[in-house]
Amino acid sequence: MPKMPTKTEIILAAEKLQQGGLVAFPTETVYGLGADARNGAALAAIYAAKGRPAFNPLIVHVASLAAAEELGIFNIAARHLATHFWPGALTLVVPRRVPCPISELASAGLATIALRVPNHPLAQQLLKQSDCPIAAPSANYSGHLSPTSAAHVRASLHASLPNIMVLDGGETEIGLESTIIGCLEMEEEARVILLRKGGVTRQKIELATGLPLSDLVDEGGGGDEGGSEGGSEAQLAPGRLTRHYAPKAKLRLQVTEPRANEALLAFGANAPPHAGQTINLSPSGDLTEAAANLFAALHHLDETATHIAVMPIPNTGLGEAINDRLTRAAKGR
Ligand code: TXA
Ligand code: MG
């Protein structure tokens, strides 16, 4: 067994989260790469460290059901599942509260939020000590398997290790990611939808709820969605719940001369003069800042404009994921 982190190390890790840093930590399923879920720039750093070419929404870890209910809206089935399986290897996707303190980047612009109360003592201590909701995908580089030990984390994320504090809690107990269930409808007889198979079995869930678990059917959403990271993430079927955020407004990309009827989504120091509404994702041309602001800016412009012109954004680093989302948004649903 590795030496368990001391109280001092947990305090340091909590401070790192509060300051917008990244902490890899064990949960009972797999290790997560965590950041303060309210801090968009910290979440952008997660995507950068994972080398993900697209923004998949992240699971937000909290200490209790009460904390979860401040962020998402729970129907009867969701509350039942949470009471029965939390803390544990179950993630619930529910509607986000409005307003919600969690960065829109954690939801990748969707109106839903994935929530989990983990059962690992170190994860629990980190949540309590930091008092942060912690967004954490599996702590592996994109395309690698989910890590079940601190050694896996260090090997997979070695390029970013100088910026990541790794809490070593030994091997994870379950070794499979959490089961993800969607509870989005608010009616009495609402469906409970299996989005990803994982640590808690279908039989256990059906027994606990007394409801049959629907499998997500393909409703024509983006079939290339989700973490094609190998392992069980490939089972996350396309459909309504995983569809990309798409604005109502028409997007025009690579624009250097916006038209009078367009709102402008600008980037960098050379934004053209524009009389219409303008939001600059990062006046200094910082891609991390731009990623952190992307979904909130799109939502904001979408509320007021029918046409949005988007300036060119470099296709390097996080720019790749930003451009991926903008290209999809320009195509519409
Ligand atoms: O066991 C686990 O779930 C681990 C530990 C660290 O908690 N986390 C994990 O995270 O596996 P990640 O990012 O590797 O997988 C999360 C999955 C992704 O496939 C993502 O698309 C889905 O959850 N997801 C997150 N938010 C969602 C949402 N609002 N709607 C639908 N799917 C969502
Ligand atoms: Mg993963």
Side-chain angles (χ1 to χ4, degrees):
M1 277 301 275
K3 207 161 65 51
M4 286 297 150
T6 59
K7 180 77 187 164
T8 313
E9 281 173 276
I10 290 165
I11 291 172
L12 281 176
E15 283 172 3
K16 189 155 173 108
L17 288 176
Q18 289 163 347
Q19 290 156 10
L22 303 186
V23 175
F25 64 98
T27 79
E28 69 276 33
T29 58
V30 299
Y31 275 72
L33 180 59
D36 181 347
R38 299 163 299 194
N39 183 334
L43 301 188
I46 290 181
Y47 289 101
K50 281 182 68 84
R52 270 190 181 174
F55 294 127
N56 295 324
L58 305 173
I59 297 174
V60 177
H61 301 72
V62 290
S64 65
L65 171 58
E69 291 213 44
E70 284 175 22
L71 307 176
I73 302 169
F74 283 58
N75 65 14
I76 294 172
R79 200 165 294 133
H80 200 70
L81 284 164
T83 312
H84 209 274
F85 292 106
W86 282 355
L90 185 80
T91 295
L92 294 171
V93 175
V94 299
R96 274 172 75 106
R97 284 203 181 279
V98 183
C100 180
I102 302 302
S103 162
E104 295 198 42
L105 190 52
S107 294
L110 298 171
T112 57
I113 184 165
L115 294 161
R116 174 158 104 86
V117 178
N119 191 22
H120 196 287
L122 277 179
Q124 280 284 346
Q125 285 170 49
L126 191 59
L127 284 162
K128 295 205 174 95
Q129 183 68 40
S130 65
D131 202 23
C132 289
I134 304 177
S138 50
N140 53 280
Y141 198 79
S142 183
H144 295 184
L145 287 176
S146 291
T148 57
S149 71
H152 290 166
V153 175
R154 293 193 192 100
S156 190
L157 295 176
H158 64 91
S160 306
L161 274 188
N163 302 320
I164 300 171
M165 178 167 177
V166 182
L167 284 180
D168 190 342
E171 298 267 331
T172 62
E173 194 186 317
I174 297 178
L176 265 184
E177 293 101 337
S178 61
T179 301
I180 306 183
I181 305 279
C183 297
L184 290 186
E185 297 153 353
M186 286 301 138
E187 307 87 71
E188 194 80 4
E189 303 279 306
R191 280 181 308 161
V192 179
I193 301 173
L194 180 61
L195 292 172
R196 180 176 74 180
K197 295 174 186 163
V200 180
T201 62
R202 169 192 291 273
Q203 288 77 7
K204 276 194 180 165
I205 292 162
E206 292 185 339
L207 206 62
T209 54
L211 288 174
L213 202 50
S214 311
D215 285 294
L216 188 61
V217 287
D218 188 351
E219 296 170 28
D224 50 353
E225 168 63 5
S228 50
E229 296 196 345
S232 51
E233 264 171 322
Q235 294 165 354
L236 190 62
R240 186 168 58 90
L241 288 175
T242 54
R243 188 172 280 170
H244 296 284
Y245 164 65
K248 296 185 290 296
K250 275 233 165 317
L251 261 68
R252 201 159 66 89
L253 305 182
Q254 307 286 347
V255 174
T256 47
E257 290 177 27
R259 298 169 186 152
N261 70 334
E262 289 174 324
L264 178 63
L265 189 63
F267 176 82
N270 300 321
H274 183 56
Q277 197 184 7
T278 301
I279 296 182
N280 197 324
L281 289 172
S282 171
S284 65
D286 174 352
L287 288 166
T288 302
E289 185 185 18
N293 291 332
L294 177 66
F295 291 107
L298 276 174
H299 273 133
H300 195 80
L301 294 181
D302 199 26
E303 274 166 25
T304 49
T306 54
H307 292 75
I308 301 172
V310 184
M311 281 182 68
I313 293 169
N315 207 34
T316 53
L318 280 173
E320 220 188 314
I322 295 172
N323 283 318
D324 169 76
R325 277 304 141 122
L326 287 170
T327 308
R328 291 170 194 272
K331 281 195 203 126
R333 288 186 193 271

